[in-house]
Amino acid sequence: MKPFSPINSKYPELWHGGDYNPEQWSPAIWQEDMRLMDLSRFKVATVGVFSWVSLEPEEGVYTFEWLDEIMDLLHANGKFAVMATPSAAPPAWMSKKYPEILKVGSDRVRKLHGNRVNFDWSSPVYREKVRAMATKLAERYGDHPALLMWHVSNEYGGPSYSEYNRKAFIGWLQKKFDNDLAKLNAAYWTPFWGHTFTDWDQIEIPGHPLSETAIQGLTLDWNRFNTDEIVDFFLNESQPLREISPDVPITTNLMGFYGGLNAWKIAPHVDVVAWDSYPQFSQEPMSLRSWAKIAIVHDTYRCLKGGQPFMLIECTPSSSNWYPVMSLKPPGMHRLEAIQAIAHGSDSVMYFQWRQSRGSQEKLHGAVVSHGRGENSRVFRDVATVGYDLELLRDVVGGASKSEVALIYDWEVAWAIEGSCGPIQKDKGYYDTVLDHYIPLWEAGIGVDVLSSDCDLDGYKLVIAPMLHLVKPGVAERLTQFVESGGTLVATYMTGYVDENDLVFENGLLGPLQDLFGIQVEELDARFPSDTAQVVVGYNELGLDGIFQASTFCERIQATTAEVIAQYSGVWYSSEPAVTINRVGMGQAIYVASRNDNLFTDGLVHSLVSKLDIESAVPFQLPDGVSATKRTTEAGEFLFILNMTQETHWVPLPDSFHEVLSGQDLEGSLEIGPYCVAVLKPLG
Ligand code: GLA
């Protein structure tokens, strides 16, 4: 567990800052901004995100002077800049002159100018313009003393159904299928409903409302193509930055588990991964599940670059105006959200945005500086508190964390499940099932790495791969190897149905994983919500027992080499196997054939944790609603304790600790108030 380097050694701190849009304001306000930034300890300003028209108001006419002034002002005031390329907002003149740069909707109608991220990924003109602008920025600011990082574009996403993109998609398919249409037809099972293609040009972009989505393999590849096209767009845009300023790190802000871009594909091309987190603070107290939803994304983003700290590059200091109801973060919540990010591996807390815009789409969105309030607002004070905390936590920079458990969430699996007609329509619950397995670990303070199914599994004791519906080449081999060499693997219903082309495996459900689990999967019973079924767990060496409720999905399976540890009851296939364990090599592969209640999932996870001696961040049971994580740097271990409830809790302490945020030394126990956080360093 070696610590990592700071994002940029020019400023080896936890970054506190956010989107700064000075072009909306007069220079008099800029001066005031510097004063307020000092007060709120806002050190890193992300400039230029949507500034194209302010930088190039007419084609070939550049007006960088205001940005020069801002960069110098930031520098003179001891602040830093993350500079964005402005491609998320092509200027109106460009849309008018080159309408082909605009996105085409799924109705095949080209959008008119007026929104953002409204460009076509494959438009040659737009790609050229974007590259030219990135070149100008890199040449002008690449060695500016305030510059810490390039922020390429903003929240890449949203497919375009243009002819450019259709052609690019066909080119992508030709490459994938070695220019052999017969291979494509075979992979997509196109004789079904007479969908055989006889010419590449017959291929349409799948998607409502104009072209049906009946060829599910094609839909899956369309998703893959969109990710690849975005990555390609990113590479084109970022290349001048890399070439001209090789020492300046590059990132782009991603959107959690957003389905339009497989984050694993872009991660290798950025220096730091970054994401925008906007949970809805709609209930008080916010449910633990909602906190877990943030934590699981943090854990994913930490894994995207092998445990390297990521950035929380946007969050709101108060509320987000695009939710159905823009509820406020109650007092204390902002600090909790900020420190939660650090606890899970972020090296920054940054906001959208510095100052509330007076007009347009986001005039009511929360910001550090609220309308007319300067430093006199609760939100401003909350932000300043976080700024102060981050300074106290500076030794956490680069901190690594150790996980003995890996949980698989795979974008391609999500696409395949979502695109499949049946076993139920609507949401089949892939993400929620992954989350159900994450929560008991997170609640117990156990570090979890959230990986894609392509990742290396060496070193983990437990791998949980819920609903691994699509099994890519190499995955079955890796899972088998993991179990043979002593690992414990847990899988569930709907595993191994299809290959990477969405073709059901020739040997049936569970395909290449049948031997590993020692079972055959005969069929799946999809159940109405009112249909009850039970799973009865008998005596077994995991120490799990009881009667649990099953719903939605119950597979009928037969054990070949596996031991049956639970059976169905209350259904016509009662006494058939419902949970099995297969011992393979030095490890074991556990199969859960039905979607069971959380009591079962929690029980299974807890028994495995204790049986496999999986280490928690704390050697005792945490109170409900209190989480614990650990990060280690050269300065030692930092234990983060977060209370996500409205009650005060007492957390037993095994040793004496120094609490970094309050400066107190503690022994015996920690009293942690509602929504409070503590960061402990062992004493001595
Ligand atoms: C996104 C964008 C920002 C802003 C916020 C509002 O994260 O990147 O520009 O629109 O949403 O929540």
Side-chain angles (χ1 to χ4, degrees):
M1 239 201 315
K2 275 189 30 206
F4 293 83
S5 310
I7 305 169
N8 185 331
S9 53
K10 235 186 199 180
Y11 183 59
E13 304 282 330
L14 295 174
W15 295 7
H16 187 230
D19 282 23
Y20 180 41
N21 302 296
E23 67 272 37
Q24 296 173 21
W25 304 93
S26 69
I29 299 275
W30 300 352
Q31 293 299 335
E32 172 67 351
D33 285 337
M34 297 303 122
R35 184 184 76 82
L36 293 173
M37 283 182 191
D38 280 340
L39 289 179
S40 57
R41 297 176 147 90
F42 184 104
K43 292 290 268 189
V44 181
T46 304
V47 293
V49 180
F50 303 109
S51 307
W52 200 322
V53 74
S54 309
L55 298 172
E56 191 183 2
E58 276 174 53
E59 190 166 24
V61 175
Y62 297 100
T63 47
F64 287 109
E65 296 70 22
W66 68 270
L67 188 53
D68 297 348
E69 224 181 295
I70 286 294
M71 291 294 281
D72 294 346
L73 192 65
L74 288 169
H75 180 58
N77 283 276
K79 308 200 168 23
F80 293 91
V82 166
M83 187 176 284
T85 57
S87 64
W93 61 256
M94 199 188 290
S95 306
K96 206 71 187 168
K97 181 159 182 200
Y98 308 100
E100 73 211 76
I101 68 163
L102 289 168
K103 212 172 245 181
V104 173
S106 60
D107 55 2
R108 305 316 193 257
V109 174
R110 194 173 291 286
K111 310 231 180 238
L112 295 177
H113 188 86
N115 209 313
R116 61 176 183 178
V117 201
N118 49 346
F119 55 84
D120 187 86
W121 303 98
S122 308
S123 152
V125 176
Y126 200 56
R127 283 186 173 221
E128 193 193 304
K129 292 281 178 204
V130 156
R131 206 179 159 100
M133 176 50 84
T135 306
K136 289 263 177 225
L137 289 173
E139 285 168 352
R140 196 164 183 111
Y141 302 107
D143 54 11
H144 194 284
L147 183 69
L148 286 183
M149 166 179 261
W150 295 114
H151 173 304
V152 178
S153 204
N154 195 67
E155 294 193 335
Y156 278 140
S160 178
Y161 294 76
S162 67
E163 192 54 16
Y164 282 131
N165 242 20
R166 188 180 77 91
K167 288 266 163 30
F169 181 40
I170 292 173
W172 186 96
L173 292 169
Q174 287 170 326
K175 198 158 159 221
K176 170 171 174 176
F177 293 107
D178 306 322
N179 239 337
D180 183 347
L181 202 51
K183 277 194 188 166
L184 176 144
N185 281 313
Y188 294 164
W189 208 256
T190 52
F192 179 79
W193 284 359
H195 279 141
T196 302
F197 296 107
T198 54
D199 190 285
W200 290 98
D201 197 44
Q202 293 159 1
I203 298 172
E204 295 291 348
I205 295 175
H208 289 298
L210 289 190
S211 48
E212 305 273 337
T213 50
I215 310 174
Q216 294 178 357
L218 184 72
T219 305
L220 183 59
D221 274 342
W222 167 242
N223 280 312
R224 290 187 177 118
F225 161 78
N226 275 311
T227 280
D228 287 358
E229 198 62 2
I230 291 175
V231 172
D232 197 54
F233 186 92
F234 166 85
L235 290 174
N236 169 66
E237 182 166 16
S238 58
Q239 197 185 6
L241 309 173
R242 262 284 171 249
E243 279 174 11
I244 300 166
S245 55
D247 298 331
V248 181
I250 296 181
T251 195
T252 184
N253 53 337
L254 304 176
M255 295 179 276
F257 287 147
Y258 164 66
L261 172 62
N262 179 350
W264 286 93
K265 296 278 176 171
I266 200 161
H269 305 290
V270 296
D271 298 299
V272 186
V273 284
W275 81 285
D276 299 346
S277 175
Y278 290 97
Q280 187 170 26
F281 290 88
S282 57
Q283 313 139 25
E284 204 185 340
M286 187 161 100
S287 70
L288 288 183
R289 197 172 177 86
S290 305
W291 284 108
K293 283 182 180 175
I294 314 173
I296 194 174
V297 186
H298 288 327
D299 284 348
T300 306
Y301 275 64
R302 190 189 60 241
C303 294
L304 287 173
K305 289 191 82 69
Q308 182 191 315
F310 60 91
M311 289 176 71
L312 173 62
I313 204 163
E314 277 187 34
C315 67
T316 177
S318 59
S319 60
S320 312
N321 71 326
W322 44 267
Y323 269 118
V325 175
M326 50 175 297
S327 38
L328 292 178
K329 279 181 178 176
M333 211 66 105
H334 175 55
R335 188 179 190 217
L336 187 54
E337 188 193 7
I339 305 300
Q340 185 195 31
I342 305 296
H344 284 264
S346 175
D347 269 3
S348 72
V349 174
M350 297 178 65
Y351 310 103
F352 177 84
Q353 61 175 332
W354 166 249
R355 183 182 277 281
Q356 268 184 316
S357 331
R358 283 190 57 210
S360 208
Q361 175 84 3
E362 290 177 333
K363 63 181 182 296
L364 298 182
H365 196 286
V368 178
V369 181
S370 322
H371 294 301
R373 305 286 317 174
E375 66 264 55
N376 300 313
S377 75
R378 176 185 73 95
V379 173
F380 189 92
R381 287 189 291 274
D382 278 1
V383 166
T385 305
V386 167
Y388 186 58
D389 288 344
L390 297 184
E391 289 180 10
L392 294 174
L393 292 174
R394 61 166 57 91
D395 284 349
V396 174
V397 170
S401 42
K402 179 178 153 212
S403 305
E404 294 176 320
V405 183
L407 178 65
I408 310 287
Y409 174 86
D410 193 304
W411 264 258
E412 297 200 12
V413 173
W415 292 332
I417 291 177
E418 194 185 317
S420 168
C421 183
I424 57 172
Q425 311 310 327
K426 297 200 183 144
D427 184 12
K428 297 167 191 79
Y430 174 53
Y431 162 72
D432 275 306
T433 306
V434 173
L435 190 64
D436 287 342
H437 288 82
Y438 176 80
I439 288 176
L441 294 158
W442 169 74
E443 284 182 328
I446 290 163
V448 183
D449 282 353
V450 185
L451 306 178
S452 96
S453 66
D454 304 300
C455 293
D456 189 359
L457 302 173
D458 282 357
Y460 294 106
K461 289 182 174 170
L462 173 64
V463 171
I464 306 179
M467 296 177 75
L468 194 68
H469 183 66
L470 173 146
V471 177
K472 294 176 240 178
V475 170
E477 293 74 5
R478 239 186 339 271
L479 291 174
T480 306
Q481 156 90 48
F482 166 72
V483 175
E484 277 172 349
S485 49
T488 294
L489 170 67
V490 176
T492 70
Y493 53 89
M494 277 184 79
T495 290
Y497 282 24
V498 296
D499 69 8
E500 79 277 18
N501 290 317
D502 207 44
L503 274 185
V504 174
F505 285 105
E506 247 173 335
N507 64 340
L509 308 182
L510 207 56
L513 295 166
Q514 291 172 0
D515 288 346
L516 178 58
F517 288 98
I519 58 169
Q520 293 277 314
V521 177
E522 189 177 332
E523 57 183 343
L524 179 134
D525 184 18
R527 303 179 58 78
F528 283 98
S530 55
D531 292 343
T532 57
Q534 286 79 46
V535 164
V536 182
V537 186
Y539 173 79
N540 60 77
E541 63 171 58
L542 297 181
L544 169 75
D545 64 5
I547 301 179
F548 303 93
Q549 301 303 315
S551 62
T552 320
F553 299 124
C554 294
E555 274 176 349
R556 291 194 51 244
I557 64 173
Q558 287 116 34
T560 51
T561 57
E563 179 194 338
V564 177
I565 65 160
Q567 284 141 334
Y568 289 114
S569 153
V571 278
W572 59 264
Y573 38 89
S574 287
S575 55
E576 291 188 3
V579 182
T580 57
I581 303 187
N582 198 33
R583 288 174 188 81
V584 178
M586 293 188 293
Q588 54 189 346
I590 300 172
Y591 195 80
V592 180
S594 51
R595 180 171 288 170
N596 302 337
D597 56 17
N598 285 340
L599 225 56
F600 172 90
T601 309
D602 294 0
L604 175 66
V605 167
H606 291 147
S607 353
L608 289 172
V609 162
S610 102
K611 186 122 191 78
L612 302 173
D613 235 345
I614 289 170
E615 222 180 278
S616 157
V618 287
F620 45 78
Q621 201 182 335
L622 286 160
D624 280 354
V626 175
S627 76
T629 62
K630 212 187 260 181
R631 287 183 73 177
T632 308
T633 69
E634 258 134 32
E637 273 184 4
F638 294 84
L639 181 59
F640 291 79
I641 311 269
L642 276 69
N643 179 2
M644 290 154 291
T645 71
Q646 281 177 312
E647 291 86 46
T648 296
H649 290 286
W650 282 265
V651 179
L653 296 177
D655 293 303
S656 336
F657 286 93
H658 176 70
E659 204 283 295
V660 183
L661 300 176
S662 65
Q664 284 178 349
D665 290 346
L666 303 167
E667 209 169 335
S669 75
L670 159 76
E671 180 183 337
I672 186 158
Y675 305 139
C676 282
V677 298
V679 185
L680 307 177
K681 256 196 112 221
L683 275 172

